[in-house]
Amino acid sequence: MTTKQSGTYFPAGEIEEFLPRIGRVVEIEGRQLAVFRASDGTVFAADNHNPHPKGGPLAEGIVSGHYLYDPLYDWKIDLSTGQVQAPDQGQVQMFPVKLENGQVWIAI
């Protein structure tokens, strides 16, 4: 565990444990996070709660580029900002991620 300006970073696993374009659920400090690895190697961490009024897990979505496509409601979410794309509306809480020596760290 290391502390940075954006929060305390916790180890989430080795980069190889996160398959490209497929979400994985990680629990850190009692929070359930959906972690995604884009095809270009960028790793994103989001609250594993869909902002749709009916809710649901985000980890089941599919990543294309830096966007998450939700299979339940056909929503498109920008993984860089957490912003749901028009015509839908909403915001997903995103968490800072860093990679060090093959290890994924997420700040809470």
Side-chain angles (χ1 to χ4, degrees), residues 1 9-10 18 33 36 39 46 51 58 62 65 81 99:
M1 172 174 57
Y9 279 85
F10 295 89
F18 299 93
L33 305 178
F36 303 96
S39 296
L58 280 182
I62 301 295
T81 64
L99 299 175

Side-chain angles (χ1 to χ4, degrees), residues 2-74:
T2 59
T3 302
K4 298 285 182 193
Q5 289 179 339
S6 56
T8 301
Y9 279 85
F10 295 89
E14 297 293 323
I15 188 67
E16 294 83 21
E17 297 174 39
F18 299 93
L19 300 176
R21 302 181 61 211
I22 297 173
R24 178 170 176 239
V25 176
V26 174
E27 190 167 317
I28 297 177
E29 293 292 289
R31 290 183 159 231
Q32 196 177 86
L33 305 178
V35 181
F36 303 96
R37 181 175 163 197
S39 296
D40 68 2
T42 305
V43 178
F44 300 95
D47 183 34
N48 190 31
H49 179 75
N50 193 313
H52 188 277
K54 293 183 181 178
L58 280 182
E60 296 175 7
I62 301 295
V63 175
S64 179
H66 287 187
Y67 289 96
L68 175 67
Y69 291 86
D70 172 57
L72 295 175
Y73 312 111
D74 198 33

